[in-house]
Structure formats: C-alpha cells, structure tokens
Amino acid sequence: MDNKAEIKIELPEIINTTLSKPANTLGEKLSDLLEIIFGGITYKKKELTYKRELHFQMFKESLTKKVEAIPEGKRVEPKESIIGPVLEAAKYRIDSDELRNMFAELIASSLNEDKQEWIHPAFIDILQNISPNDAKTLLQLKAWKDTHLIPVISIGEKVMSIPNNLNHYCFLVEEYGIDQANIILFSLIRNGLIELNYVFNKDDIFQGFSFDKMEAEFTHLRSQRQIGRNVGNPLEYKYGTINLTAFGYSFVSVCC
C-alpha cells in the first residue's frame, strides 16, 4: 500500500471572496500558484505530513488575517514577479512562526496599494537567508526604531600590535549569548538591513545604557569563557549604535 499522503492546498477564503475589482482574478491566480508550489510535496511519514499541513494551515490563517486588515479600496493585484517567487521561497520556511508571519506579511503587502513602493524583489532572498533569531531581532529593531538608540561596542584584539576585530557586544548577548549575538549582527549586516555607527565616547550615557558597564560585562565574559585568541592580549574598543539602514527600514515596513 502506498502510504504517501498528498497535501491538499486551498486558498484562504478572504482572498477568493473579498478582493474588489479589478483584482477579482487574484484569488484564482494565487490558488493556482499555491497548488503548484505547495501541492506537489509528499511525505511517506504521516508525522511529517501532519506537521507540514499544520504549518501551512497556520500560514494561511496568518495570511487571511493580514489581507482582511487591508482596506477594501486599497487591495490591488500583485505583480506575478513578486507573488510567485515569494510562495516558492516560503515552501520550506514556514515551520518558524517568525518567518511564516514575515512571508505572509510580504504577500499581504503586495496586495496593499499603500505599500507597493516599499516592496523590492530582494526581500524574497533575504527571507530565504535569515534565521528565526534574525527575524526576532528585526521585530525588536522595528519596535524601537523611532524611540531608541541601540548601543553596541566593537572590540578589537591586538595580536602582535595588529588590531583584529573580535566581537560586538550589544543587547542581544543577554538573550542569545556572545557567539549567537554576533552571528545575528553579521547576518543582518550582510543582508544590508542594519549598520553599526561608532560615534560615541565611553563616558556617554543615554536611555539608561552605560558603555562603561557594557565594557565591564564583556571583559568579565571574556575572562570566564576565554573569548578571543589570548585573554592577555590588549583590547581596543569603539562605541556606537545599531541602526536600520534605509533598505532595512523598507524591509521591516513591508515584512514585519
């Protein structure tokens, strides 16, 4: 007996029934794309099939809510060059709550007249390349972007009098640890979403953050965990902030 289970794909009802003209063919188009992209996936193990179906149902529910939130007069037909690749990219990334919601948000934004100018095809590649922790960090940066300066210290280690970049110390360390925090920062920098600007002095204090305290915390962590090549090597510090780039601002406006 063939124990493969075929996943049946149905488009969220909101897209089929509530899009006003001239976007009334959008539901059929999206349904076809979803069926083609997701419908061909089969798994021999029922457990994997169940998980996949569950994640897809959650994806549809998230998409439905986001489309419902768009004023009817603002709903437009998206560009196929965006919607097709987005669905294809989402195929194996909807097992994460953060990324699943970001994909749904990008699709919903492509249906929203007010967000058309913010959308860029590169956003699809970014969603394929960032981790759930990267996504969580972007959500925090979006929430803080208008009210917070986010401090960061760059630590360079001098080896034979030659400075080498060692680590960055910032708010992410408390939740993720020093190694994962740096992976997140470098990932977001690599994708053009954030930049680090070193414009402060050690004695500057703002919004409750103290560079002096942050430096002491890093020094303690380094002594405990042997971070770097040699704990005895001298360190060189720079003091600055983490900021969304203009490209990053567009990304979080559309995908978060």
Side-chain angles (χ1 to χ4, degrees), residues 94-127:
I94 58 174
D95 57 340
S96 154
D97 289 343
E98 294 79 17
L99 293 175
R100 179 170 59 248
N101 284 325
M102 281 189 170
F103 274 108
E105 193 70 50
L106 179 54
I107 293 171
S109 293
S110 72
L111 306 176
N112 189 336
E113 182 181 41
D114 290 340
K115 293 192 175 183
Q116 295 295 298
E117 63 179 317
W118 296 96
I119 297 174
H120 193 282
F123 293 170
I124 303 166
D125 291 333
I126 291 173
L127 286 175

Side-chain angles (χ1 to χ4, degrees), residues 163-210:
N164 292 276
N165 185 63
L166 175 62
N167 273 298
H168 299 287
Y169 190 90
C170 66
F171 75 99
L172 294 169
V173 173
E174 183 175 350
E175 182 173 357
Y176 298 109
I178 189 74
D179 295 331
Q180 185 59 221
N182 277 271
I183 289 173
I184 293 169
L185 287 180
F186 288 126
S187 173
L188 299 182
I189 291 170
R190 174 181 174 272
N191 283 287
L193 300 174
I194 66 169
E195 58 189 359
L196 309 184
N197 297 300
Y198 296 101
V199 294
F200 290 102
N201 298 312
K202 179 180 178 179
D203 296 334
D204 292 330
I205 298 176
F206 55 92
Q207 296 175 177
F209 290 101
S210 166

